[in-house]
Amino acid sequence: LDSEMTVVRNEMERGENSPDRILYQKTVSAMYQWHSYGRDTIGARADVENVDIPRLRAFYRTYYQPDNATLVVSGSFDAAQVKAWIFDAFGKIPRPVRVLPRLYTLDAAQDGERSVTLRRAGGVPLVFSAYHVPPEASPAYAAFEMLALVMGDTPSGRLHKQLTEHQLAASTFAWAQGLADPGFAMFGAQLAPEQDIEAARTALLQTLEATAREPVTDEELQRARTKWLKSWEQSFTNPEAIGLALGDAAGQGDWRLLFLTRDRVREISLAEVQSAAEHYLMASNRTLGLYLPTDAPQRAPAPARVDVADALKSFKPQSAAAAVEAFETTPVHIEQRTQRFDVGGIHAAVLPKATRGALVQAVLTLHFGDEKTLFGQGEVPDLLADLLDKGTASHSRQQVQDRLDALKTEISFNDGVGRISVHITSRREHLPAAIQLVAEMLRQPALTPEALAEVKQQALTALAQQRKEPEAVAENAVARLVNDVPPRYPRGDPRHARSFDEIAEDVNRVTIEQVRAFHSRFYGARLGEFAAVGDFDAAEVQRVLAASFADWRQAGEPYTRVPRPLRALPPQRLQLLTPDKQNATLLAYIAVPLTDADPDYPALLMANHLLGGSGTSRLWRRVRETEGLSYDIGSHIQWNSWEPNSEWTASAIFAPQNRAKAEAAFQEEIARAHKDGFTVQEVADGVRGLLSLRRLSRAQDAALAQTLASNLFIGRNFLRAAEVDQALQALTPAQVNVALRRYLPLQSFVIGVAGDFK
């Protein structure tokens, strides 16, 4: 208890660093005067620090028993065998003799606006407006899932149109929280530092509470229904997501509520949604940042529990989905199943296989420019990437989003130095159309001044949040140290590590003309990679890729990868101040003269895994489990496939007053690993654990598609993964220990600590 108490307290302290999280906690607490929903799960600080063993034992013996438990198994398995294991493991536990406590507390209907104001250092302005709603089992609850999208979706939501598009907020959001007892719907807006919170608050409330005058339209409901059902179907293809969702539904009264809510969303009428908005989205049912008295208070309907058995009497489950093949995730089998072809300048690797829901994960990356042509571009490439999903020359932003919803497709863009990447999640029947839409978005983006103003505001808002966050401050400081190693990368070089002020200057300087010029000059399909994993027709995908990109091969600046040679830093320690933050961070860094093709790669990979790369590592056991100084500690290597210049980093969070202890434990544990080395048993366990993690990554289609694309870029195939697996299995403790001492030498780290160390 002594060590775990400080670990849990450190977890609480990490949460205390987030104004968003604390405002959410305090808003919900103000909503519920008596019900336990108003109490944050982690508890009060005094409770965490003072709870005793007898109280923990009593809680455990009361609640940790089989009549209060739900077991969900999801994925690919032999159901009969798993059931037998379950009966064998749990059937032997005696039936409890105690009776679970009866829960009876319900808050009365709220009778006036409630308010909470939070003042802390750092972050950006934020407004929440929350309303009590019925339990998820109630027939009325599905209306709030729809209202959350009608109000909070981007770009179709009313809040986005009234606040974000009118420059009153940087972004808006909403969600409904279905619970066993009456829950809540949360709406909000995040502001840039210079925006007027009062103007945003007024616009937020006027938009939410004006549905009597401005009813929900049929178009809004149909759009929300389509998006919600797409998301539901998407999550149902993910074994982890559906397992968690079933567990949540069981906690709300019955696992079948997951499907009942889906059916209610399908069948809900416009009148039901409008009625819910008028009866619940009202001032007297609101919790916000102000108290406003009224002569004629209005009440929402009295909260009431729902008889779940009665609610489910008319429920008819759908037939089970068809089983799919059990895909073997060995590197050799993946290589055998992978098909490769070229389309113009795009190299493709595709792996067709059956999946739950005919799901497909795909990645497209295009490369352009070199260190000279990319010099001085600043924030233009990043903002261009943010604009690609904001409409095209032929379709508005809303039409693009509606098209994606109709195709049951999700896309995301991210950019790097000299590249733009697109991740696509789609279905077999929709993948060709999704690729065509991605091509339109890449080749003919609308690039409007209004959209640029929006994404610039969002970039500045995110930057304002980072300026006082210990993790971001430490990472930025170390990156700037690396940048200053001679020969220093000058301002404008794509490798230059910018300060927060320089980033802000670059964002503010960007014009729509610069963005359009960059797109016209750099974007093209001279060189790229496409990879797809899942249920699709490979021949059809090849045809669509050719039709969409083959004639774009001559566009864009020629690509030469920007080199990143090793830049070793002398050992040093930085102490960085982030006032009023109750959680601090430690960041350690060292440049490693290796690539992931080096013969020492497997040994150092294992050394890092044993030192800080897993939940059983030396650093984890010492700093978290033994001394209870950190909720989260670990290490990682960012491998370079080209130059011998990989980066090892380790990080830990801790309470600022524990800085000396945390640093000492970190340094002592690394020194002990150097002195004593890893044991035979540690290496054997580490090999099993690391190989298991590698198998798991190959079983995740999104990660597999990304690896196929990366292999195309660096000229490898999956047989390299098999070679690494074999090398890991053959490792000896001597090899691992030599790699640790050679590449992570003592007294060679750059260490930065950031926090409020007053």
Side-chain angles (χ1 to χ4, degrees):
L1 177 59
D2 289 342
S3 66
E4 197 62 22
M5 182 278 288
T6 53
V7 166
V8 174
R9 185 177 61 189
N10 186 229
E11 178 187 5
M12 175 184 289
E13 289 157 347
R14 180 175 70 168
E16 291 283 334
N17 270 16
S18 169
D20 298 13
R21 182 186 181 282
I22 299 305
L23 181 60
Y24 169 81
Q25 172 194 326
K26 292 185 180 298
T27 302
V28 175
S29 179
M31 293 186 73
Y32 294 96
Q33 293 180 320
W34 308 109
H35 197 287
S36 295
Y37 289 162
R39 301 174 189 166
D40 200 36
T41 307
I42 201 168
R45 186 183 186 95
D47 292 343
V48 172
E49 292 176 337
N50 297 293
V51 67
D52 55 28
I53 289 290
R55 189 179 295 269
L56 290 175
R57 286 177 177 155
F59 186 93
Y60 173 79
R61 290 168 179 160
T62 299
Y63 294 102
Y64 281 64
Q65 297 204 36
D67 62 342
N68 195 39
T70 298
L71 175 63
V72 179
V73 183
S74 60
S76 175
F77 55 86
D78 182 335
Q81 178 63 76
V82 171
K83 287 180 180 178
W85 287 335
I86 292 170
F87 280 113
D88 180 65
F90 293 94
K92 65 184 68 172
I93 302 175
R95 180 182 298 276
V97 296
R98 65 90 182 89
V99 177
L100 279 166
R102 185 173 67 90
L103 304 178
Y104 49 81
T105 302
L106 285 179
D107 276 37
Q110 189 168 319
D111 56 359
E113 303 90 330
R114 296 176 187 166
S115 64
V116 58
T117 300
L118 178 69
R119 299 180 190 275
R120 291 197 176 187
V124 293
L126 186 71
V127 182
F128 284 153
S129 185
Y131 303 83
H132 294 277
V133 303
E136 176 141 359
S138 167
Y141 173 75
F144 296 96
E145 293 285 352
M146 298 295 93
L147 284 169
L149 288 167
V150 168
M151 296 293 180
D153 187 42
T154 299
S156 68
R158 293 186 177 188
L159 295 178
H160 177 85
K161 294 181 181 300
Q162 295 300 319
L163 279 79
T164 309
E165 292 184 1
H166 287 84
Q167 299 295 305
L168 297 175
S171 61
T172 56
F173 50 87
W175 73 91
Q177 188 69 60
L179 298 166
D181 286 336
F184 55 90
M186 184 75 73
F187 306 84
Q190 188 179 61
L191 280 63
E194 71 276 11
Q195 288 177 324
D196 185 347
I197 195 168
E198 283 300 312
R201 179 194 69 83
T202 300
L204 181 80
L205 299 185
Q206 288 177 347
T207 303
L208 291 172
E209 297 171 10
T211 49
R213 301 188 306 273
E214 301 173 15
V216 177
T217 67
D218 184 69
E219 180 184 4
E220 287 176 318
L221 174 58
Q222 296 308 324
R223 179 178 291 130
R225 192 200 317 269
T226 300
K227 178 178 285 288
W228 192 96
L229 291 172
K230 181 190 79 169
S231 177
W232 193 99
E233 293 176 12
Q234 207 84 286
S235 68
F236 203 76
T237 64
N238 183 328
E240 182 179 5
I242 191 61
L244 292 170
L246 287 168
D248 286 344
Q252 293 156 8
D254 191 298
W255 60 269
R256 293 171 292 174
L257 287 172
L258 177 65
F259 305 95
L260 183 62
T261 300
R262 174 204 59 194
D263 293 351
R264 285 171 169 170
V265 167
R266 283 175 175 165
E267 299 162 6
I268 197 167
S269 68
L270 186 61
E272 290 173 300
V273 175
Q274 182 64 25
S275 175
E278 292 181 13
H279 285 85
Y280 286 87
L281 300 186
M282 59 174 58
S284 64
N285 192 37
R286 177 214 309 153
T287 300
L288 193 75
L290 290 174
Y291 170 70
L292 299 174
T294 177
D295 294 333
Q298 293 178 296
R299 302 284 191 272
R305 289 193 172 93
V306 173
D307 184 336
V308 176
D310 183 67
L312 288 162
K313 283 181 180 177
S314 60
F315 171 67
K316 293 181 175 57
Q318 294 183 350
S319 58
V324 298
E325 66 172 316
F327 184 75
E328 184 182 347
T329 60
T330 64
V332 172
H333 185 248
I334 290 172
E335 183 61 28
Q336 290 172 344
R337 290 284 295 268
T338 299
Q339 304 174 29
R340 294 182 176 84
F341 54 84
D342 290 343
V343 174
I346 296 175
H347 308 297
V350 298
L351 199 166
K353 67 184 184 73
T355 58
R356 179 71 180 248
L359 197 69
V360 186
Q361 301 285 350
V363 178
L364 172 66
T365 299
L366 302 177
H367 303 276
F368 47 78
D370 56 34
E371 62 180 296
K372 292 183 179 179
T373 57
L374 292 169
F375 189 92
Q377 298 295 338
E379 201 69 14
V380 173
D382 291 343
L383 293 176
L384 172 56
D386 292 337
L387 289 171
L388 293 175
D389 62 354
K390 306 298 188 294
T392 71
S394 304
H395 297 90
S396 70
R397 180 178 182 179
Q398 188 61 63
Q399 288 173 327
V400 168
Q401 187 59 56
D402 289 345
R403 179 62 173 155
L404 288 170
D405 290 340
L407 294 175
K408 298 181 179 180
T409 294
E410 298 283 350
I411 64 168
S412 61
F413 295 93
N414 66 83
D415 70 310
V417 176
R419 68 167 173 80
I420 181 69
S421 293
V422 193
H423 180 264
I424 307 168
T425 300
S426 192
R427 305 294 181 98
R428 178 185 179 91
E429 68 272 24
H430 298 308
L431 181 61
I435 294 173
Q436 291 173 331
L437 181 58
V438 166
E440 180 182 336
M441 296 165 78
L442 284 169
R443 300 183 66 169
Q444 303 168 19
L447 304 182
T448 66
E450 296 78 13
L452 176 61
E454 178 184 328
V455 298
K456 286 175 68 173
Q457 197 69 262
Q458 291 170 347
L460 293 171
T461 300
L463 184 64
Q465 287 184 301
Q466 292 178 339
R467 285 178 181 270
K468 299 297 183 181
E469 290 302 319
E471 293 88 348
V473 169
E475 289 171 1
N476 184 260
V478 171
R480 290 167 64 193
L481 281 178
V482 175
N483 182 81
D484 288 340
V485 174
R488 185 179 187 274
Y489 294 130
R491 180 82 187 276
D493 190 292
R495 295 160 294 190
H496 173 75
R498 297 172 292 172
S499 67
F500 293 127
D501 287 342
E502 287 175 332
I503 297 172
E505 290 172 7
D506 286 348
V507 172
N508 284 317
R509 190 180 293 126
V510 174
T511 66
I512 195 62
E513 290 76 20
Q514 290 175 314
V515 174
R516 290 169 178 167
F518 187 95
H519 178 269
S520 176
R521 176 183 177 186
F522 286 93
Y523 272 35
R526 285 178 177 270
L527 178 65
E529 301 86 42
F530 176 84
V533 178
D535 195 340
F536 59 89
D537 183 330
E540 176 68 5
V541 167
Q542 183 173 0
R543 184 193 67 77
V544 173
L545 282 173
S548 301
F549 294 104
D551 64 337
W552 207 28
R553 185 173 187 177
Q554 301 307 315
E557 285 280 355
Y559 173 73
T560 301
R561 190 182 61 83
V562 177
R564 290 187 176 273
L566 184 74
R567 302 171 72 84
L569 279 173
Q572 53 195 294
R573 182 182 179 279
L574 306 174
Q575 182 164 309
L576 309 157
L577 185 63
T578 56
D580 204 28
K581 293 297 182 181
Q582 297 189 38
N583 192 55
T585 193
L586 177 149
L587 177 66
Y589 168 91
I590 188 171
V592 178
L594 284 181
T595 71
D596 59 3
D598 194 281
D600 283 344
Y601 167 74
L604 185 58
L605 191 68
M606 178 56 62
N608 175 70
H609 180 76
L610 297 175
L611 183 63
S614 72
T616 59
S617 67
R618 291 277 188 95
L619 289 172
W620 178 275
R621 292 200 305 268
R622 168 72 183 277
V623 180
R624 189 197 196 283
E625 295 186 354
T626 302
E627 298 197 21
L629 294 170
S630 178
Y631 174 73
D632 186 22
I633 181 169
S635 63
H636 172 73
I637 304 177
Q638 183 67 44
W639 291 101
N640 189 323
S641 298
W642 303 93
E643 298 101 347
N645 176 27
S646 300
E647 296 181 334
W648 180 86
T649 57
S651 63
I653 63 170
F654 56 90
Q657 63 268 27
N658 289 334
R659 179 192 57 202
K661 292 180 180 178
E663 284 193 69
F666 176 82
Q667 297 276 21
E668 289 168 7
E669 204 54 37
I670 294 178
R672 187 172 72 87
H674 273 259
K675 178 177 178 293
D676 300 336
F678 299 113
T679 67
V680 173
Q681 188 62 51
E682 276 184 294
V683 173
D685 292 342
V687 167
R688 285 192 294 271
L690 191 51
L691 288 175
S692 178
L693 289 173
R694 289 170 63 82
R695 285 194 298 271
L696 178 61
S697 70
R698 295 193 291 264
Q700 297 170 335
D701 288 354
L704 185 55
Q706 185 61 62
T707 303
L708 286 172
S710 298
N711 281 346
L712 286 171
F713 181 54
I714 59 182
R716 293 180 187 165
N717 58 36
F718 253 96
L719 297 182
R720 169 59 181 165
E723 294 171 357
V724 173
D725 285 353
Q726 293 168 0
L728 289 171
Q729 289 176 313
L731 282 175
T732 65
Q735 291 173 308
V736 177
N737 292 325
V738 166
L740 172 73
R741 293 162 182 150
R742 176 180 298 164
Y743 298 109
L744 303 179
L746 287 172
Q747 310 304 324
S748 61
F749 303 116
V750 174
I751 293 182
V753 290
D756 188 346
F757 300 121
K758 64 191 175 199

